[in-house]
Amino acid sequence: MENIPREIIEQAQAGNIDAFESIYRAAASFVYNVAFKITNNRQESQEVAQDVFLKIYRKLKDFEFRSSLKTWIYRITANTALNAYKRVSR
């Protein structure tokens, strides 16, 4: 995942859709790959990625720059993928 400038993140936090799209473009393959490594299922990984970006969109205003955006997105993705994996394996 490429580094996203703080200004873009702040613009996205303020509701700028173009800035959020920049974050999506930078992180989409990263999110999918993390989800696929956990679920080992293409379709489930795509659904996880969709869920992750909805969560990011809703929670981005709460991101406080205590960690890198990549770390924050990784945690959301890993948790979402693990929950999906548990749900499917039941």
Side-chain angles (χ1 to χ4, degrees):
M1 185 172 127
E2 65 187 67
N3 193 20
I4 300 167
R6 185 179 179 118
E7 302 82 45
I8 298 291
I9 299 168
E10 289 172 345
Q11 289 172 6
Q13 286 176 317
N16 182 317
I17 291 296
D18 292 331
F20 184 77
E21 186 177 340
S22 295
I23 293 171
Y24 173 81
R25 287 184 184 163
S29 62
F30 173 73
V31 167
Y32 175 81
N33 289 332
V34 170
F36 185 76
K37 286 179 184 176
I38 293 170
T39 64
N40 201 30
N41 179 303
R42 289 182 193 273
Q43 184 176 355
E44 194 63 37
S45 298
Q46 290 171 344
E47 290 180 27
V48 166
Q50 236 179 347
D51 289 346
V52 165
F53 281 104
L54 283 172
K55 289 176 182 180
I56 291 170
Y57 184 78
R58 291 182 186 137
K59 298 289 186 175
L60 190 59
K61 64 184 174 293
D62 298 331
F63 179 67
E64 297 177 346
F65 298 93
R66 289 190 215 162
S67 64
S68 72
L69 185 65
K70 182 177 182 178
T71 301
W72 187 71
I73 290 174
Y74 176 84
R75 275 300 358 136
I76 292 170
T77 304
N79 290 339
T80 304
L82 286 169
N83 289 340
Y85 180 78
K86 289 175 190 174
R87 184 180 63 246
V88 169
S89 66
R90 285 185 198 150

